[in-house]
Amino acid sequence: MANPMKIRAAAKDGVTEVKVLMSHEMETGQRKDSSGNLVPAHFITELTATWNGKTVLDAQFGPAVSKNPYLAFKFKGGAKGDKVVVTWKDNKGDSRTDEAAIA
Amino acid sequence: MIKQRREVLKTGGGLGVLGLLAAAGVIKPELALAAWNEGAFKAGTLEKSLAALGAGKPATSGDISINAPDIAENGAVVPIGVSTTLPKVESISILIEKNPDALAATFKLPEGTEANVQTRCKMGQTSNVYALVKADGKFLMAMKEVKVTLGGCGG
């Protein structure tokens, strides 16, 4: 089970800024371990963010996104207390969903 | 360490070629929105990635700005942000020319989401970073060179 994400969402002047820090290896599949074996690729492929059930961001990642990926984006609307839900899925079928209330 | 690094880089190159072959056979431009666009992410070179995204040869636009450092000390964590003032932005993609697979990330922006995203990418070496924006049905692009002092391929 993957570690939880850190999600911060803050509304200001009708715009909500969301910052997400995921906890994931993001292994590229091109690195070798100490005995020379390729480390298999393991990275987040898809990420969806919703606000009140409406999709506000739909992202796809390649292995070139850094370890423990960071993501920031803004959307119009959002009030204090509204929930922002972020879900990611990786190439091994693992997934994780976390939510945060807009501050 | 250095020898290992070379091996890793070499392997990376090899995988890139495999990716090219795969992409040449099964490019499906703008595949279903939900599914991971494997063709584009494993396309290899910048040109092939653009083709796999259905962008072809996009025109350069001065309205797209790439917010990335001129010099990145650590290639494993290069902050890259893309914003644009273009209207009706549908998607933003980040491509790094000299990575084994150029496409790093792509964001679909529903109406109401601002055309302003930031993330962090790995860069194997100094390279041009491209931001591809689809706005009002058209693909436009901007470029910025980021110098890397320590490559990020080794993770």
Side-chain angles (χ1 to χ4, degrees):
Chain A
M1 193 61 193
N3 290 322
M5 285 176 252
K6 284 182 188 148
I7 305 172
R8 298 265 183 283
K12 197 185 170 192
D13 303 329
V15 173
T16 302
E17 181 173 25
V18 184
K19 293 176 182 171
V20 188
L21 190 61
M22 291 147 262
S23 172
H24 201 284
E25 254 336 278
M26 296 303 283
E27 192 61 63
T28 59
Q30 297 177 5
R31 211 164 58 91
K32 284 176 180 172
D33 62 19
S34 49
S35 48
N37 301 315
L38 269 184
V39 182
H42 186 205
F43 56 95
I44 293 174
T45 52
E46 287 156 55
L47 178 141
T48 317
T50 59
W51 157 61
N52 284 350
K54 175 185 179 284
T55 301
V56 285
L57 187 78
D58 189 0
Q60 296 185 13
F61 287 172
V65 173
S66 297
K67 178 177 173 173
N68 298 334
Y70 168 77
L71 175 68
F73 66 96
K74 292 174 185 175
F75 65 89
K76 286 193 184 75
K80 204 170 172 169
D82 284 0
K83 283 217 163 71
V84 173
V85 182
V86 181
T87 303
W88 60 249
K89 208 169 93 180
D90 71 19
N91 67 326
K92 288 185 178 172
D94 201 1
S95 69
R96 164 119 212 147
T97 302
D98 284 296
E99 60 177 46
I102 296 174
Chain B
M1 265 320 273
I2 288 186
K3 196 175 167 214
Q4 251 181 8
R5 198 180 124 69
R6 267 162 215 252
E7 275 167 25
V8 169
L9 285 175
K10 252 192 251 164
T11 325
L15 277 178
V17 173
L18 273 182
L20 283 188
L21 291 176
V26 268
I27 288 176
K28 293 174 196 152
E30 296 198 274
L31 206 65
L33 294 179
W36 190 59
N37 194 344
E38 187 169 358
F41 278 102
K42 294 194 174 166
T45 62
L46 181 69
E47 288 75 22
K48 299 244 178 190
S49 301
L50 288 173
L53 286 168
K57 288 196 172 64
T60 306
S61 167
D63 296 325
I64 304 169
S65 52
I66 302 178
N67 187 3
D70 295 326
I71 299 174
E73 276 184 25
N74 183 356
V77 191
V78 184
I80 297 177
V82 178
S83 62
T84 174
T85 52
L86 292 165
K88 293 187 190 167
V89 174
E90 293 159 41
S91 73
I92 293 178
S93 301
I94 298 170
L95 298 102
I96 298 160
E97 190 174 12
K98 291 200 179 147
N99 270 7
D101 292 308
L103 184 59
T106 166
F107 304 92
K108 292 217 157 53
L109 309 177
E111 214 181 317
T113 300
E114 294 191 359
N116 182 350
V117 291
Q118 282 153 52
T119 186
R120 295 177 190 150
C121 295
K122 292 174 208 156
M123 290 180 66
Q125 56 180 302
T126 297
S127 168
N128 291 336
V129 173
Y130 290 86
L132 177 72
V133 173
K134 189 181 185 191
D136 204 6
K138 266 189 293 201
F139 282 102
L140 294 159
M141 201 159 76
M143 188 272 275
K144 179 183 166 87
E145 188 190 29
V146 176
K147 288 194 165 64
V148 175
T149 36
L150 178 69
C153 267

